[in-house]
Amino acid sequence: GIDNVREDSKGNLTANATLPCDEILISKILGFGGSIRVLQPQKVADAVRNKAETIFSLYAKEKRSPSEPLQSL
C-alpha cells in the first residue's frame, strides 16, 4: 500500500508505495491520465510510457479532421 504522501511547495504530491509491478498497476497509473508521473522505479516508468505509446499509436493512425466528432464506442 501507500507508505507516505508528501506535498511540495507547488502543491505536487509524492507518494511512496510498495506494489507488485504488473498490468493491473500499469492500468491504474494510466487511469490518472496526465495527472500522474512515475518517478521510480524506472522499470515501472518505462512500462507506463510503453503502454501509453502503444495506445497513442492506435489513434495516431486514424485519419480524421479536428472538427470531425469521435466515433462512439
Side-chain angles (χ1 to χ4, degrees):
I2 295 178
D3 301 323
N4 63 54
V5 178
R6 295 182 313 275
E7 184 173 2
D8 68 15
S9 61
K10 296 179 182 178
N12 297 315
L13 299 175
T14 301
N16 293 323
T18 303
L19 302 164
C21 180
D22 58 13
E23 283 295 317
I24 294 171
L25 173 63
I26 304 309
S27 294
K28 286 189 180 290
I29 292 169
L30 288 170
F32 285 96
S35 300
I36 190 170
R37 180 172 176 218
V38 177
L39 301 176
Q40 53 180 294
Q42 191 62 47
K43 174 183 173 180
V44 175
D46 290 344
V48 170
R49 185 185 64 251
N50 290 339
K51 184 64 76 171
E53 287 173 350
T54 299
I55 293 167
F56 176 78
S57 70
L58 292 172
Y59 293 94
K61 294 176 184 175
E62 292 182 8
K63 302 291 184 207
R64 72 173 185 87
S65 69
S67 62
E68 181 181 342
L70 295 173
Q71 293 179 347
S72 61
L73 299 176

